[in-house]
Amino acid sequence: MKAKFVIPLVLFVVLVGFLAVGLNRDPHEVPSPLINKPAPLFNVPQLANPNKSFSPEEMKGQVWILNVFASWCVACREEHPMLVEMSKSHVVPLIGLDYKDKRADAMEMLARQGDPYNFSAFDGDGRVGINYGVYGVPETYVIDKAGIIRFKQIGPITQEVLEKSMYPLIAKLNKD
């Protein structure tokens, strides 16, 4: 009779342990399989100038940031003032990737709220985002001089993320 209750009790305790560990993790720290791997290549039109294209190959030799955003994204609006401030420092090129959006809506948003980007690429169908593992916007990537992804921020960039993670990493990567 005791053995009949021991197995379910052990399984219950193990399940509670897994749930406790999972609930204590920060959802913004989802590990990315792309960290320390080459950034996926693409070639898409620029947002403001559809006759001009952009490819990450153009950024080789410099540390840069790719920020995935959309005009329909509420969290992107929350993050936007931080990006505008960051762009004033000219620490690294800041490239936008307008994700699953309408070109006119994105252009209007940037005109209204300020355009922090050196320029933005247009990923209207979301294929570039899929290759980068984007499952929600905003997402931000720090990419080194060799085109390797060194950092991924899921969700809005905060002052704390900039000061504790991104700026120190960018400084280190610029020295290399």
Side-chain angles (χ1 to χ4, degrees):
M1 184 93 147
K2 275 188 174 182
K4 195 159 76 171
F5 294 108
V6 172
I7 293 174
L9 180 62
V10 169
L11 290 174
F12 177 75
V13 169
V14 169
L15 180 62
V16 168
F18 279 124
L19 288 173
V21 169
L23 290 173
N24 286 320
R25 292 183 176 248
D26 184 351
H28 294 275
E29 294 180 8
V30 176
S32 172
L34 294 177
I35 300 297
N36 298 322
K37 301 266 190 313
L41 296 179
F42 60 86
N43 193 328
V44 295
Q46 290 188 13
L47 178 65
N49 186 352
N51 297 324
K52 217 172 165 186
S53 64
F54 170 70
S55 170
E57 286 286 314
E58 298 170 33
M59 303 306 290
K60 287 269 174 113
Q62 53 188 323
V63 178
W64 60 289
I65 292 175
L66 179 68
N67 176 257
V68 184
F69 75 98
S71 65
W72 47 261
C73 167
V74 175
C76 297
R77 284 185 232 132
E78 176 186 319
E79 172 186 67
H80 201 80
M82 183 69 59
L83 295 173
V84 170
E85 281 304 308
M86 190 173 101
S87 72
K88 291 176 184 175
S89 69
H90 301 288
V91 174
V92 291
L94 178 58
I95 310 302
L97 180 67
D98 185 32
Y99 178 70
K100 291 187 175 180
D101 205 354
K102 293 184 178 135
R103 188 181 299 273
D105 292 348
M107 295 291 296
E108 192 268 323
M109 181 199 89
L110 293 174
R112 187 178 63 247
Q113 295 181 352
D115 188 349
Y117 305 110
N118 292 59
F119 59 86
S120 295
F122 183 65
D123 184 23
D125 61 8
R127 290 182 189 192
V128 174
I130 289 169
N131 290 338
Y132 275 77
V134 172
Y135 59 88
V137 287
E139 290 190 11
T140 306
Y141 302 82
V142 175
I143 302 170
D144 73 11
K145 295 175 184 179
I148 307 296
I149 296 174
R150 298 299 180 182
F151 176 84
K152 178 180 179 179
Q153 170 68 23
I154 298 171
I157 295 172
T158 63
Q159 191 66 40
E160 181 180 3
V161 168
L162 276 177
E163 291 173 3
K164 290 185 177 178
S165 300
M166 292 179 70
Y167 283 156
L169 175 61
I170 290 166
K172 179 184 176 296
L173 293 173
N174 274 323
K175 285 181 186 175
D176 293 342

